[in-house]
Amino acid sequence: MEPEAVHNPPWYLEPQEGESISHYFGRFRRHEAVCVSSPGTLSKAAGIGPVLARWEKFRFNPFPSQKELEAIGKLIGLDADRIAQMLPPKGEKMKLEPIRLCAACYAEQRYHRLEWQFQSTVGCDRHQLRLLSECPFCKEHFAIPAFWKEGECNKCHAPFRRMKKRQKAY
C-alpha cells in the first residue's frame, strides 16, 4: 500500500527559510488563488480581528497568541508552528522603521528576511555588508515587505538586486 499523498489547498504557499511574516503574507495575499487586497480581510476571515495588519508592520505587541496563529493557519493551510517561525524569537526587539534589506541576499533569493528587522542586526553576516534602509539611488525609504511585489523601489523602481553594488562593508 502506498503512503497517502498530502494534498495542500490551491492557495497553499510555502514560506521561505527565514522569511519575514510581512513578506510572506504579502505574497500570500497576491497569490493567484487568493487575491486578497488587505490584511484586514484575511484577519476577519480567520476571526482574529485586525492583527495581521500589525504583524505586517512588525508590531508584535501584544505578541501573537497560539490561538491567533492556529486560526490564521487553519485558514491558509499552514501549521501554526510554521507561522511562528516567521516571528521574532522571544526577547528579540524589532526595528519597526526603517525597513531594511541586504540587496546581495535579495539578489540570491527574492524575499525579506525577518532578521533584517531585528534591532540587534547591524549588517548581513553572510555578505559582510551593512543593511540598506533606503534606496541608494533616490533615498526613498523602503515600503513594508508585504508590498514588495516586484522587488524594487516604490519611487524610482530600481530593482533591489541592483542595489548590492551600493552596499558598504561592515
Side-chain angles (χ1 to χ4, degrees), residues 101-104 129-130 132 163-169:
L101 80 105
C102 173
L129 296 170
R130 291 184 190 270
L132 295 170
M163 297 177 188
K164 67 183 179 182
K165 293 177 183 172
R166 302 284 183 106
Q167 282 180 274
K168 295 184 181 355

Side-chain angles (χ1 to χ4, degrees), residues 115-133:
E115 68 183 275
W116 295 340
Q117 293 307 126
F118 294 166
Q119 284 184 6
S120 63
T121 300
V122 177
C124 174
D125 290 336
R126 178 181 166 98
H127 296 102
Q128 301 301 305
L129 296 170
R130 291 184 190 270
L131 298 177
L132 295 170
S133 58

Side-chain angles (χ1 to χ4, degrees), residues 3-163:
E4 188 175 318
V6 176
H7 296 286
N8 290 322
W11 55 86
Y12 178 80
L13 190 61
E14 183 69 28
Q16 300 294 321
E17 186 64 35
E19 184 174 18
S20 70
I21 197 164
S22 177
H23 193 266
Y24 174 81
F25 275 105
R27 283 192 315 118
F28 181 84
R29 289 189 289 108
R30 288 186 300 275
H31 190 284
E32 63 188 34
V34 178
C35 292
V36 173
S37 61
S38 78
T41 303
L42 213 50
S43 283
K44 186 177 180 181
I48 57 175
V51 298
L52 192 53
R54 283 197 342 261
W55 298 352
E56 286 188 2
K57 295 174 185 166
F58 302 104
R59 299 180 192 285
F60 303 118
N61 190 6
F63 200 78
S65 70
Q66 186 65 27
K67 185 178 177 182
E68 290 168 330
L69 297 177
E70 288 171 0
I72 195 78
K74 183 177 180 184
L75 178 70
I76 68 172
L78 197 60
D79 185 77
D81 291 337
R82 186 61 187 96
I83 298 169
Q85 291 174 15
M86 293 184 273
L87 296 169
K90 296 279 186 201
E92 184 70 61
K93 301 257 189 254
M94 298 300 291
K95 187 169 190 62
L96 304 179
E97 294 178 342
I99 298 300
R100 303 185 300 175
L101 80 105
C102 173
C105 284
Y106 195 87
E108 294 169 0
Q109 294 181 301
R110 296 182 51 177
Y111 64 93
H112 182 266
R113 311 316 190 266
L114 177 64
E115 68 183 275
W116 295 340
Q117 293 307 126
F118 294 166
Q119 284 184 6
S120 63
T121 300
V122 177
C124 174
D125 290 336
R126 178 181 166 98
H127 296 102
Q128 301 301 305
L129 296 170
R130 291 184 190 270
L131 298 177
L132 295 170
S133 58
E134 64 184 17
C135 175
F137 301 104
C138 73
K139 306 303 181 201
E140 179 80 3
H141 283 262
F142 300 121
I144 64 169
F147 298 136
W148 290 10
K149 184 177 180 184
E150 300 298 326
E152 63 185 22
C153 173
N154 282 354
K155 185 175 178 185
C156 73
H157 304 288
F160 293 157
R161 67 184 183 279
R162 276 194 33 227
M163 297 177 188

